[in-house]
Amino acid sequence: MPQPYDLSAAELARQIRDRNITPVQVAQSLLERMDSLEPRLEAWVRVDRETVLADAKQRQEELDSGVETGPLHGVPIGIKDIYNIAGVPTKAGSKVYADYVPDETAATIGLLQNAGAVILGKTVTTEFACLDPSHTKNPWNPAHTPGGSSSGSAVAVAARMCPVAMGSQTIGSVLRPASYSGIVGLKPTYGRVSRRGVVPVSWSLDTVGWMGRTVEDAALLLQVMAGPDDQDPVASRLPAGDYLSGLESSGPPRIGLITSFFMEEADQETQRRTRAVVEQLASAGASVVELTLPESFGTAIQDQMTIMGAEAAAFHKPMYEKQAQDYRPKLREMLRQGLETDATTYSKALERRLRFSADMRLLAEKADVLLTPSTPTAPLADLTNTGDTRFQGPWTSCGLPTITLPIGLAESGLPLGIQLIASPFEEARLLAAARWCERVIDVRLVPPVEN
Amino acid sequence: MPQPYDLSAAELARQIRDRNITPVQVAQSLLERMDSLEPRLEAWVRVDRETVLADAKQRQEELDSGVETGPLHGVPIGIKDIYNIAGVPTKAGSKVYADYVPDETAATIGLLQNAGAVILGKTVTTEFACLDPSHTKNPWNPAHTPGGSSSGSAVAVAARMCPVAMGSQTIGSVLRPASYSGIVGLKPTYGRVSRRGVVPVSWSLDTVGWMGRTVEDAALLLQVMAGPDDQDPVASRLPAGDYLSGLESSGPPRIGLITSFFMEEADQETQRRTRAVVEQLASAGASVVELTLPESFGTAIQDQMTIMGAEAAAFHKPMYEKQAQDYRPKLREMLRQGLETDATTYSKALERRLRFSADMRLLAEKADVLLTPSTPTAPLADLTNTGDTRFQGPWTSCGLPTITLPIGLAESGLPLGIQLIASPFEEARLLAAARWCERVIDVRLVPPVEN
């Protein structure tokens, strides 16, 4: 009999619905798990046990009283500490937000709560979801980076301290830590999910996303959170799709393997392992076509940094002018550069990004999903940075929905992953393809944290 | 029997198709009209009679040989001199482009030619489609501004030197001159029509548009030019709609009259005349609801200027650095300011515009079409500027499709117009509503240029 902490969000929801387990038992199982692992992993910023247990008890009472329950009824979730919850401090990993207590709750958190989720606590983020590393430890090996910026969420999910957790991505902050921890990470299309109530990095890039250990969980969370939000100007007016009903039934996808850049810049082992997975998928029936990147990819990575710097500077300017010394070094330097950027430089970067995005939309039309390794290498034994962002950033830049799946361990004992990418707002197709690949790859990674 | 120059593009296409008139007769009629009016109106930059007549003759031969013809077969059109035609100079109204001869043809011009149109010539634009007035005269009274920047196209259409003409809009450069000349002007949704091959002002605002004397002609040109363009990153992937078949059959629209700002800033006469038209439309069966602008409108006009300045500076920078003295004063000043703008200022303006656009999309959902006066006043007797841009600019800023219709003459003897605005990519609904209003308003303005 598996422990509750070992179950996926979807499975927990089913077990709770079937009265095999109670929300309080689930919450207790996860809190005990935290007791044993959190001192070593440092994935959480704030867990208010009394609130968690009170919420779980309320979910139990709702269930007992026969009120209609949502698809996440009683399921605990971790929240990256840049999502606002009314009355709860948002620290965003920064001294600058030492005293910030928001009075509104993020739109996504409201949707999760309406679906019955129990907020387990706030997870560690790098400072303002940027590039200075956090203290969170990779559960596979604490000498290796867990990635960033959603390091706490990735590690909490990988180490089974929660089944799912919210992250966010401006360059690679969902996909990279998810891959580095050996779990599933989903970054929906830019505009698919409301960002209202999330501390911004860069308004034209920021995308909310999340981690889980199964594609089904990634889809379940999207089903709860996708859709228009009249109060978020970035949120698309397109109604949400059906992300769940096609998951188990869809056939083998047409896969576009991107051979340029990604397969060149990845280390030999990552290239070999990615090729092996592609062959495995092809053997199982997927059709594979090899694709190359458009010329406009040439400046995409540098342009994304220019854009992020300028937009982060626009947001932080009033705070930076008062307390620059309170920012950590990488972010301070990024803000300094952003403040010095002129409008024409930023405009040119935006305009080139528009071309890149359009070209990538055309590329994405050539297959059901594009495929690349998620990272150039398994996470390295280097805690001075959060890892290589170049493989995840382009998908944020062009706004296409992207999911990372674990494919196994490198010789170093650390996880490797692949990314699948689809056309804008084609998350249903992306998730169905990812679920098909997940079944074929059939890898379940459990980090050695019990030792 | 009306002269060919007096017919609409749709009517000319029908008459040509029915062999009642030949393309050469049409071209000759318009060239003669130019002979008599152009010296006074100065609407054209370049008309190559031999090429026009050769093209018309070729159309005639195609018709005689029974090849399949397009919807504009033999119909002449004027082209604002910022659209590239391979091998033909594009001067963009500027000394800076004294020697510019493009080697590619704008996507829209190619589509017009494929549809059988005969390019009649290049029309006058203000310098680089910006705010320094051109020498073109308003056909209603040369002491009053014809507006800008598409002044030549508007005046050529109003004075019946061509049935339709291409313009472009970054703030109000289609809608304002069309209204000031007493004709119809259409600015489609941002991204509905390819901009490839058109000299840019501001990449995030520029929208191609056109003028005609009837709603049917505005729709006919949209039908020819709407649709994706793989080579234009701004062009939407949405397929084109059917803009013609519902034109005559659609019932009275639900109209949202915007009472704030527009009805406050318009002069008394414009307010009164707009109210009278709205009552006329209501009497004919339209339902009218009064709406007010969102709070985010507050900074929209200033932000648009910031954005335009920064993006124009990004494009002109290399030329401006070499030959600033060759620019006219208003544009030179705009570029100087744009070059001095920092990225954070521009980013904040873009971000506020995003909010404004989202709010305006929500407002547009409250009716089939929104309605405002097109300009605060009829064109004024002031040739030092191109008129008041504040009523047209917001619709370019938020990207919504907008059409201007003449409603009659002010006491000054100069034209007044109303604008109708619809939800993004709802041009079919916009045009059907406009055609219904056109039938009810039943005004046909012919400027006194024969005197």
Side-chain angles (χ1 to χ4, degrees):
Chain A
M1 177 77 186
Q3 294 294 313
Y5 64 73
D6 215 30
L7 299 177
S8 72
E11 187 58 27
L12 283 172
R14 282 189 283 266
Q15 299 281 350
I16 290 168
R17 207 176 304 133
D18 294 346
R19 272 70 170 179
N20 293 330
I21 191 170
T22 68
V24 171
Q25 286 169 328
V26 173
Q28 279 170 334
S29 170
L30 291 167
L31 291 171
E32 282 164 25
R33 181 85 177 160
M34 269 188 222
D35 287 338
S36 95
L37 298 180
E38 174 59 9
R40 267 182 292 155
L41 297 177
E42 302 181 41
W44 298 86
V45 174
R46 177 190 183 89
V47 177
D48 181 339
R49 277 149 194 274
E50 284 180 25
T51 306
V52 171
L53 289 171
D55 284 358
K57 190 148 173 271
Q58 198 193 323
R59 294 304 184 217
Q60 198 162 324
E61 285 164 8
E62 287 163 3
L63 205 66
D64 292 344
S65 70
V67 300
E68 202 176 335
T69 60
L72 292 174
H73 196 85
V75 176
I77 184 166
I79 307 294
K80 184 179 184 178
D81 195 21
I82 63 168
Y83 285 74
N84 289 339
I85 301 176
V88 175
T90 300
K91 294 207 178 290
S94 180
K95 281 188 199 169
V96 176
Y97 266 23
D99 304 317
Y100 178 48
V101 182
D103 52 15
E104 294 195 0
T105 295
T108 40
I109 305 298
L111 291 167
L112 290 167
Q113 289 175 321
N114 286 344
V118 172
I119 306 300
L120 203 51
K122 291 290 200 77
T123 60
V124 170
T125 175
T126 65
E127 186 178 39
F128 284 114
C130 287
L131 294 167
D132 298 276
S134 71
H135 49 76
T136 302
K137 303 301 181 294
N138 192 312
W140 293 89
N141 185 334
H144 291 243
T145 177
S149 63
S150 313
S151 47
S153 286
V155 169
V157 170
R160 275 115 179 111
M161 294 190 278
C162 57
V164 285
M166 296 301 294
S168 69
Q169 175 153 326
T170 304
I171 303 182
S173 286
V174 167
L175 299 168
R176 189 168 72 268
S179 181
Y180 280 176
S181 285
I183 59 173
V184 172
L186 176 66
K187 178 198 80 66
T189 310
Y190 181 78
R192 178 63 299 174
V193 175
S194 174
R195 304 188 309 201
R196 180 160 50 89
V198 183
V199 179
V201 180
S202 169
W203 65 268
S204 78
L205 288 164
D206 293 346
T207 311
V208 307
W210 47 87
M211 288 89 158
R213 293 185 301 261
T214 66
V215 172
E216 185 188 21
D217 277 6
L220 179 59
L221 262 62
L222 182 63
Q223 198 67 64
V224 166
M225 288 183 280
D229 175 1
D230 284 0
Q231 293 172 71
D232 176 4
V234 164
S236 167
R237 303 293 297 154
L238 275 179
D242 173 358
Y243 306 110
L244 290 168
S245 68
L247 269 193
E248 298 303 325
S249 56
S250 82
R254 293 176 302 129
I255 293 172
L257 173 66
I258 301 184
T259 52
S260 54
F261 183 72
F262 293 92
M263 290 299 277
E264 292 156 7
E265 295 291 317
D267 67 8
Q268 291 299 318
E269 184 180 22
T270 301
Q271 287 185 38
R272 196 180 64 242
R273 296 289 297 277
T274 302
R275 286 275 179 197
V277 162
V278 170
E279 280 164 29
Q280 189 186 4
L281 297 171
S283 297
S287 66
V288 178
V289 54
E290 299 203 349
L291 300 172
T292 54
L293 292 165
E295 196 183 319
S296 55
F297 177 75
T299 56
I301 290 172
Q302 181 54 51
D303 285 339
Q304 187 175 18
M305 292 297 174
T306 302
I307 293 164
M308 181 181 178
E311 296 179 358
F315 174 72
H316 284 282
K317 192 175 179 189
M319 296 177 283
Y320 180 88
E321 283 171 351
K322 272 190 241 160
Q323 48 188 127
Q325 74 291 349
D326 286 341
Y327 286 91
R328 297 193 61 199
K330 287 179 203 287
L331 178 53
R332 191 163 63 225
E333 175 59 18
M334 186 175 84
L335 296 176
R336 192 191 62 74
Q337 287 184 25
L339 289 168
E340 284 178 4
T341 302
D342 59 29
T344 61
T345 302
Y346 168 51
S347 175
K348 282 288 184 192
L350 289 173
E351 201 180 356
R352 283 190 298 264
R353 183 181 67 182
L354 194 70
R355 164 68 66 177
F356 169 63
S357 301
D359 290 345
M360 294 305 272
R361 283 202 303 274
L362 293 176
L363 192 70
E365 289 175 9
K366 294 185 191 297
D368 290 324
V369 287
L370 306 177
L371 187 153
T372 79
S374 301
T375 59
T377 66
L380 299 178
D382 178 356
L383 301 179
T384 65
N385 62 68
T386 62
D388 196 328
T389 63
R390 293 174 302 155
F391 279 22
Q392 314 94 48
W395 313 112
T396 328
S397 191
C398 69
L400 299 182
T402 308
I403 193 167
T404 180
L405 304 179
I407 62 167
L409 299 180
E411 283 165 21
S412 62
L414 284 121
L416 288 170
I418 54 165
Q419 305 179 114
L420 302 175
I421 301 102
S423 292
F425 300 100
E426 293 287 359
E427 281 88 356
R429 187 194 296 183
L430 175 69
L431 288 159
R435 177 67 190 112
W436 186 90
C437 293
E438 182 185 48
R439 272 197 302 272
V440 171
I441 297 170
D442 194 25
V443 161
R444 184 166 186 264
L445 298 183
V446 181
V449 283
E450 332 285 335
N451 309 339
Chain B
M1 176 72 186
Q3 294 295 312
Y5 65 72
D6 216 30
L7 299 177
S8 71
E11 187 58 28
L12 283 172
R14 282 187 285 265
Q15 300 279 352
I16 290 168
R17 207 175 304 134
D18 295 345
R19 271 72 171 177
N20 293 331
I21 191 171
T22 69
V24 171
Q25 286 170 330
V26 173
Q28 278 170 335
S29 169
L30 291 168
L31 291 171
E32 282 164 24
R33 181 84 177 162
M34 268 188 224
D35 287 338
S36 95
L37 297 181
E38 175 58 10
R40 267 182 293 153
L41 296 177
E42 303 182 41
W44 299 86
V45 175
R46 176 190 184 90
V47 177
D48 181 341
R49 279 150 192 274
E50 284 180 25
T51 305
V52 171
L53 289 170
D55 283 357
K57 189 147 174 273
Q58 197 193 323
R59 295 302 184 219
Q60 197 161 323
E61 285 164 6
E62 286 163 2
L63 206 65
D64 293 343
S65 70
V67 300
E68 202 177 334
T69 61
L72 293 174
H73 197 85
V75 176
I77 184 166
I79 308 293
K80 183 178 185 177
D81 196 20
I82 61 166
Y83 285 73
N84 289 339
I85 302 177
V88 176
T90 301
K91 295 207 178 291
S94 180
K95 282 188 200 168
V96 177
Y97 266 22
D99 304 316
Y100 178 48
V101 182
D103 52 14
E104 293 194 2
T105 295
T108 41
I109 305 300
L111 291 167
L112 290 167
Q113 288 175 322
N114 286 346
V118 172
I119 307 300
L120 203 53
K122 291 290 200 78
T123 60
V124 170
T125 175
T126 65
E127 186 179 39
F128 285 114
C130 288
L131 295 167
D132 299 275
S134 72
H135 48 77
T136 302
K137 305 299 183 294
N138 192 311
W140 293 89
N141 185 333
H144 291 242
T145 177
S149 63
S150 313
S151 48
S153 286
V155 169
V157 170
R160 277 119 179 107
M161 294 190 277
C162 56
V164 283
M166 296 300 295
S168 69
Q169 177 153 325
T170 304
I171 303 182
S173 285
V174 167
L175 300 169
R176 188 168 74 266
S179 181
Y180 281 175
S181 284
I183 58 173
V184 172
L186 176 66
K187 178 199 81 65
T189 310
Y190 181 78
R192 178 63 297 175
V193 175
S194 175
R195 304 187 310 200
R196 182 161 49 90
V198 183
V199 179
V201 180
S202 169
W203 66 267
S204 77
L205 288 164
D206 294 346
T207 311
V208 306
W210 45 88
M211 288 88 157
R213 294 185 299 263
T214 66
V215 172
E216 185 187 21
D217 276 6
L220 180 59
L221 263 62
L222 183 63
Q223 198 67 63
V224 166
M225 288 183 280
D229 175 3
D230 284 359
Q231 293 172 72
D232 177 2
V234 164
S236 167
R237 304 292 301 155
L238 274 179
D242 173 358
Y243 306 111
L244 291 167
S245 67
L247 269 192
E248 297 303 326
S249 56
S250 82
R254 294 175 303 129
I255 292 173
L257 173 67
I258 300 184
T259 52
S260 53
F261 183 73
F262 293 92
M263 290 299 277
E264 293 157 6
E265 295 292 318
D267 68 7
Q268 292 298 319
E269 184 180 23
T270 302
Q271 287 185 38
R272 197 178 63 243
R273 296 289 296 278
T274 302
R275 286 274 180 200
V277 162
V278 170
E279 280 164 28
Q280 190 185 3
L281 297 172
S283 297
S287 66
V288 177
V289 55
E290 299 202 349
L291 300 172
T292 54
L293 292 166
E295 196 184 319
S296 55
F297 178 75
T299 56
I301 290 172
Q302 181 52 52
D303 285 339
Q304 187 175 20
M305 291 298 175
T306 302
I307 293 165
M308 181 180 177
E311 296 179 359
F315 174 72
H316 284 280
K317 191 176 182 190
M319 296 177 284
Y320 181 88
E321 283 171 351
K322 272 190 242 161
Q323 49 189 128
Q325 75 290 350
D326 286 341
Y327 285 91
R328 297 192 62 198
K330 288 181 202 285
L331 178 53
R332 192 164 61 226
E333 175 59 16
M334 187 176 82
L335 296 177
R336 192 191 62 72
Q337 286 184 26
L339 289 168
E340 283 179 3
T341 302
D342 59 30
T344 61
T345 301
Y346 168 50
S347 175
K348 282 288 184 193
L350 289 173
E351 200 180 355
R352 282 190 298 265
R353 183 182 66 182
L354 193 70
R355 163 69 65 178
F356 169 63
S357 301
D359 289 346
M360 294 304 272
R361 283 202 305 273
L362 293 176
L363 191 71
E365 289 175 9
K366 294 183 191 298
D368 290 326
V369 288
L370 306 176
L371 187 153
T372 79
S374 302
T375 59
T377 67
L380 299 177
D382 179 356
L383 301 178
T384 64
N385 61 67
T386 62
D388 197 328
T389 63
R390 293 174 301 155
F391 280 22
Q392 313 94 47
W395 312 112
T396 329
S397 191
C398 69
L400 298 182
T402 308
I403 192 166
T404 179
L405 304 178
I407 62 168
L409 299 179
E411 283 164 21
S412 62
L414 283 120
L416 289 170
I418 54 164
Q419 304 179 116
L420 303 176
I421 302 102
S423 293
F425 300 101
E426 294 286 357
E427 281 88 355
R429 188 194 296 181
L430 175 70
L431 288 158
R435 176 67 190 111
W436 186 90
C437 292
E438 182 185 48
R439 273 196 302 272
V440 172
I441 298 169
D442 194 24
V443 160
R444 186 166 184 265
L445 298 183
V446 181
V449 283
E450 333 284 336
N451 309 340

